[in-house]
Amino acid sequence: MTTEKNILKKLYIVAGGMLLLVLFIVFKLVNIQASEGDKYRELAQKTVYKNFVIPANRGNLYDVNQNLLATSVPEYDIRFDAVTVSEENFNKNLRPLSDSLSKLLGRSSSYYQRALRRARANKNRYFLVARNLDYFQYTKIRNFPIFNLGAYKGGFIAEQETVRELPLGKIGERTVGRGQAGLEGAYDQYLRGSEGHRLKQKIAKGQWKPLSDANEVEPKDGLDVVSTIDVNIQDIAHHALLAQLEKYKADHGTVVVMDTKSGEIKAMANLGVTSEGTYYEKRNYAIWESHEPGSTFKLMTLVAALEDKVIDTSDVFDTENGRIKYYDRIVKDSRIGGYGEISVARAFEVSSNTVFSRFITEGYKDNPEAFIDRLDYMGLNKTLGVNIKGEGKPRIPHPDDKNWYGTTLPWMSFGYGVLQTPLQTLAFYNAVANDGIMVKPRLIRAVKDKSKYVEHYTKPEILGTVCSKETAKKARAIMENTISRGTGARIYSKEFSMAGKTGTCLTGYGSGRQNSEYIASFAGYFPADNPKYSCIVVISKPDKSIGFYGGVVAAPVFKQIAQKIYTNTPVTDSINLIDLQDVAVEKAYEDYYLKAQKYKTIVPSVVGLPVMDAVSLLENIGLKVKAKGVGVITKQSIAQGNKVKKNQFIYLQAS
């Protein structure tokens, strides 16, 4: 009896526990339904539908003559929902669809028939038909049998991705940049646009199908940026540098060409060696690499001493057999035995280290801080503030530094112990060519949308004055003589005038002379009597057995660039090319544009027109234009005479 009571007691306890559990479950269900129902319904909805981000088309990046440097090109993946198509439409159009796919994509018609039947049998709602199609292929494939019925009846799924292309290829690649580098990164705020959204439905694990052909929020295209780069000068600089790097088996090199008055950078080439011995745009050495400039710094030294009245160009110093000792170190001239007694001007022309060390040491030994203050005043201890990221920091030693020694001052006089990037050095040479006025190097000319210019950057930005006109005039005369009878005599030409200074800097000298390398450089401008362009060439670590002096390795690149610009580019006052129109454009406007403005329906033929002229013409009648290539238009996606539709894209192919 006692046992039965115990059993009943246990049953009551179990039954009570189960009742409590049921009551708790009922309570939770009611609570979820009443207070948290909206939350879970929304969560369930998100597992079925999802908003996908559609990146905006980045704006185009142009050179100063409106040639494309970078553009966004759409690529398409085509997929097929084999379930949504009716049995009648599938069987009726399978063969015509397969035939069309075969002609477009290359595989046999039977291959596509088997693949599509297999997809339908497996109820595949996301069958991959083709990858990376261009716009012309996309426009064809969406009109194929079955696919032309759309997303629901025809199972057609097109996924677009925008790819950034550089029409010039590897030429100027680091200057143009990608991501946050180069011009792409510097002007990203203009180029990037704003993203859109597209609602898609989940049809299988990891597979999403657009609900319609339209986007919920349309992406807004970025603005176009017109840079200061001239592709013709860029091409000249690139190939001149490449040939010299290959000849001297150098590690890397850079060339920058700049407009003297405006500071517009016309070319910036940066090439580094690969493990196979070939060269490519590895880093932006012109902006990034701070290094000891060597003898190109003698211009800064000369200008500082002239401004402080420490010397005049006619003062004479003894080179003392080409060797002068300062404490435990010896300053040497490249010429054994020295140059005897020579003037300061002649010392610059032949690049005498002994003379420069003497007049700087004698002039500033009691107050070395005065020399440093003068260099600081000339802006040599500041970055230029160019918009491209990664500018290297300059360095000018100061007497308060812990590593300031008795030898620091004389060695600074010929460019050792100081750090400058190639662009910072060029900016100073450009200032001397520009009567002492330093302008900021710049890489942008204008920003525009599809119909008008939003911002113009046409005025030079003045950073300061590095010296008086009188000092600049003296320095220019000496630099011109350096070409005619000094270390730059190898590149002298009677046909056109140049001015500048060679530089040869020993680097890695702390590890012993046998393991050391050289940096060969040349900085200057042309024409000498009326400077139009300034240019710097820096070639790092050339093969010493072939050559390493700046006058031998770097100066010929400068001459080749100057010579070709003289030959191919008229040296005249700057013209705002943005406002130019040619006869072909005017005729096109007369024939088509005026009609289009009247009727708002006509698509003109732009085949044979330059890219930018064609873009301007088509955008003004309401079309959205995407152009690929440079030169003249060879193909357009919408034929002449078709009606212009709202928000319609037209794709252009150029030679």
Side-chain angles (χ1 to χ4, degrees):
M1 190 72 177
T2 303
T3 303
E4 290 180 0
K5 287 182 178 180
N6 289 336
I7 292 171
L8 286 172
K9 186 177 180 179
K10 290 179 180 179
L11 286 172
Y12 291 148
I13 292 172
V14 171
M18 292 181 66
L19 179 62
L20 289 173
L21 178 63
V22 170
L23 290 173
F24 176 76
I25 292 172
V26 171
F27 170 78
K28 289 298 293 181
L29 288 173
V30 172
N31 183 56
I32 289 172
Q33 182 71 18
S35 61
E36 300 183 36
D38 292 341
K39 172 185 172 183
Y40 286 102
R41 275 189 290 273
E42 183 181 353
L43 185 62
Q45 185 82 353
K46 285 182 178 178
T47 63
V48 180
Y49 301 100
K50 183 177 178 181
N51 254 319
F52 283 77
V53 171
I54 305 173
N57 287 325
R58 285 180 71 80
N60 292 328
L61 182 61
Y62 297 101
D63 87 332
V64 73
N65 297 315
Q66 310 286 309
N67 294 303
L68 275 170
L69 298 177
T71 187
S72 295
V73 178
E75 287 187 352
Y76 299 85
D77 289 349
I78 305 301
R79 295 181 179 273
F80 177 52
D81 180 354
V83 175
T84 194
V85 184
S86 69
E87 190 73 22
E88 180 183 356
N89 282 332
F90 184 82
N91 292 329
K92 178 182 177 182
N93 293 294
L94 176 62
R95 178 66 181 270
L97 172 61
S98 300
D99 290 344
S100 299
L101 290 172
S102 176
K103 290 179 181 178
L104 180 67
L105 303 176
R107 289 188 168 180
S108 67
S109 177
S110 59
Y111 166 83
Y112 288 107
Q113 290 183 57
R114 289 194 302 270
L116 294 171
R117 286 189 187 280
R118 193 183 310 117
R120 188 167 178 84
N122 295 333
K123 297 184 178 180
N124 190 336
R125 305 197 66 183
Y126 204 59
F127 174 68
L128 179 64
V129 178
R131 283 192 187 278
N132 302 328
L133 299 187
D134 62 30
Y135 178 76
F136 294 103
Q137 293 172 315
Y138 161 72
T139 55
K140 287 183 178 180
I141 203 169
R142 72 181 181 185
N143 291 313
F144 286 174
I146 298 181
F147 291 170
N148 59 6
L149 299 176
Y152 281 99
K153 290 184 178 181
F156 181 70
I157 303 172
E159 296 179 330
Q160 179 182 337
E161 180 183 6
T162 302
V163 179
R164 201 68 170 164
E165 287 196 358
L166 309 182
L168 295 182
K170 296 298 180 182
I171 296 177
E173 184 177 26
R174 290 300 302 184
T175 303
V176 174
R178 291 184 186 275
Q180 292 303 305
L183 292 170
E184 288 274 21
Y187 303 111
D188 180 65
Q189 59 178 316
Y190 300 123
L191 292 165
R192 64 171 174 255
S194 58
E195 64 189 23
H197 296 277
R198 190 173 194 184
L199 191 63
K200 295 185 180 182
Q201 180 184 13
K202 191 173 185 179
I203 56 177
K205 185 177 180 180
Q207 298 177 6
W208 297 81
K209 177 181 177 179
L211 286 180
S212 67
D213 292 334
N215 300 319
E216 275 61 43
V217 177
E218 290 292 337
K220 185 178 180 181
D221 291 351
L223 298 172
D224 294 336
V225 171
V226 181
S227 75
T228 63
I229 297 295
D230 185 314
V231 293
N232 296 316
I233 298 177
Q234 180 72 37
D235 184 67
I236 291 168
H238 174 92
H239 287 97
L241 176 64
L242 176 61
Q244 203 75 341
L245 290 173
E246 291 175 338
K247 178 179 179 180
Y248 286 93
K249 301 178 181 178
D251 182 76
H252 64 273
T254 184
V255 168
V256 183
V257 180
M258 187 162 71
D259 184 275
T260 306
K261 300 298 181 185
S262 67
E264 289 190 348
I265 293 175
K266 298 301 179 184
M268 185 182 289
N270 299 277
L271 296 171
V273 71
T274 67
S275 56
E276 290 79 26
T278 57
Y279 292 89
Y280 73 111
E281 289 261 344
K282 193 174 184 179
R283 295 204 70 159
N284 197 324
Y285 301 107
I287 290 176
W288 165 76
E289 187 173 41
S290 296
H291 62 84
E292 291 178 309
S295 290
T296 53
F297 195 78
K298 285 175 180 168
L299 177 64
M300 293 73 155
T301 301
L302 175 68
V303 169
L306 288 172
E307 285 290 285
D308 286 342
K309 310 298 182 184
V310 169
I311 49 95
D312 197 2
T313 57
S314 59
D315 292 347
V316 175
F317 291 85
D318 190 352
T319 60
E320 298 187 16
N321 296 318
R323 295 168 66 89
I324 298 180
K325 189 173 184 179
Y326 296 91
Y327 298 93
D328 59 340
R329 299 181 67 187
I330 297 175
V331 172
K332 300 177 182 178
D333 283 332
S334 60
R335 180 175 177 177
I336 298 174
Y339 300 93
E341 294 185 355
I342 57 174
S343 68
V344 169
R346 184 60 181 161
F348 186 96
E349 293 166 12
V350 299
S351 200
S352 170
N353 294 336
T354 58
V355 170
F356 271 72
S357 67
R358 283 198 64 175
F359 73 69
I360 288 298
T361 303
E362 293 175 11
Y364 295 97
K365 62 183 178 181
D366 296 329
N367 187 16
E369 193 166 348
F371 180 56
I372 306 307
D373 288 345
R374 174 59 66 178
L375 297 179
D376 284 346
Y377 174 80
M378 296 190 301
L380 297 174
N381 214 11
K382 300 176 184 176
T383 58
L384 297 168
V386 293
N387 289 336
I388 288 182
K389 294 181 180 179
E391 182 180 0
K393 292 183 178 180
R395 179 180 179 273
I396 302 295
H398 192 276
D400 293 338
D401 294 343
K402 291 182 179 180
N403 58 352
W404 180 277
Y405 303 109
T407 57
T408 302
L409 190 61
W411 258 258
M412 283 179 63
S413 69
F414 50 90
Y416 282 81
V418 300
L419 296 177
Q420 295 279 292
T421 68
L423 187 58
Q424 289 159 3
T425 297
L426 178 62
F428 189 88
Y429 273 75
N430 192 81
V432 173
N434 200 26
D435 285 333
I437 299 173
M438 181 179 283
V439 294
K440 182 178 178 178
R442 59 194 180 98
L443 287 144
I444 185 172
R445 167 78 63 97
V447 177
K448 72 185 192 74
D449 63 15
K450 301 305 178 186
S451 60
K452 63 181 180 180
Y453 288 93
V454 178
E455 294 186 46
H456 284 276
Y457 298 83
T458 54
K459 293 183 179 180
E461 183 178 341
I462 297 174
L463 298 179
T465 302
V466 302
C467 64
S468 65
K469 287 185 178 181
E470 181 184 358
T471 295
K473 185 177 180 180
K474 289 179 179 180
R476 287 201 301 271
I478 296 172
M479 282 194 282
E480 188 171 359
N481 288 335
T482 300
I483 300 293
S484 62
R485 64 189 188 193
T487 55
R490 287 173 176 265
I491 66 169
Y492 174 74
S493 173
K494 292 181 180 180
E495 281 70 37
F496 58 94
S497 60
M498 298 170 285
K501 179 72 182 77
T502 59
T504 307
C505 181
L506 187 67
T507 182
Y509 40 82
S511 59
R513 196 173 187 88
Q514 188 174 2
N515 296 322
S516 64
E517 301 286 353
Y518 289 88
I519 299 174
S521 58
F522 187 94
Y525 53 87
F526 55 93
D529 55 346
N530 182 26
K532 171 63 179 173
Y533 296 107
S534 60
C535 175
I536 189 168
V537 180
V538 179
I539 295 179
S540 295
K541 302 178 183 179
D543 188 325
K544 292 179 288 186
S545 65
I546 306 173
F548 58 86
Y549 284 112
V552 175
V553 179
V557 178
F558 177 92
K559 179 183 180 180
Q560 185 176 350
I561 292 169
Q563 192 171 28
K564 288 192 174 182
I565 290 177
Y566 263 97
T567 303
N568 301 333
T569 307
V571 182
T572 59
D573 291 336
S574 295
I575 298 173
N576 190 349
L577 294 172
I578 292 172
D579 297 326
L580 292 183
Q581 290 183 337
D582 62 23
V583 175
V585 180
E586 291 178 2
K587 186 177 187 303
Y589 269 76
E590 182 180 344
D591 291 347
Y592 299 115
Y593 174 62
L594 295 177
K595 289 182 182 178
Q597 287 297 301
K598 183 177 180 180
Y599 299 108
K600 304 290 185 182
T601 57
I602 300 172
V603 176
S605 171
V606 294
V607 173
L609 291 180
V611 171
M612 280 311 300
D613 298 336
V615 170
S616 175
L617 181 78
L618 295 171
E619 286 177 349
N620 275 289
I621 62 172
L623 289 168
K624 295 183 176 181
V625 185
K626 292 296 178 185
K628 184 176 181 181
V630 295
V632 299
I633 302 300
T634 59
K635 191 175 183 181
Q636 62 188 76
S637 62
I638 304 175
Q640 174 187 353
N642 282 314
K643 292 183 178 180
V644 176
K645 299 177 183 178
K646 186 177 180 181
N647 295 322
Q648 186 176 20
F649 277 88
I650 183 169
Y651 288 78
L652 306 178
Q653 179 68 52
S655 57

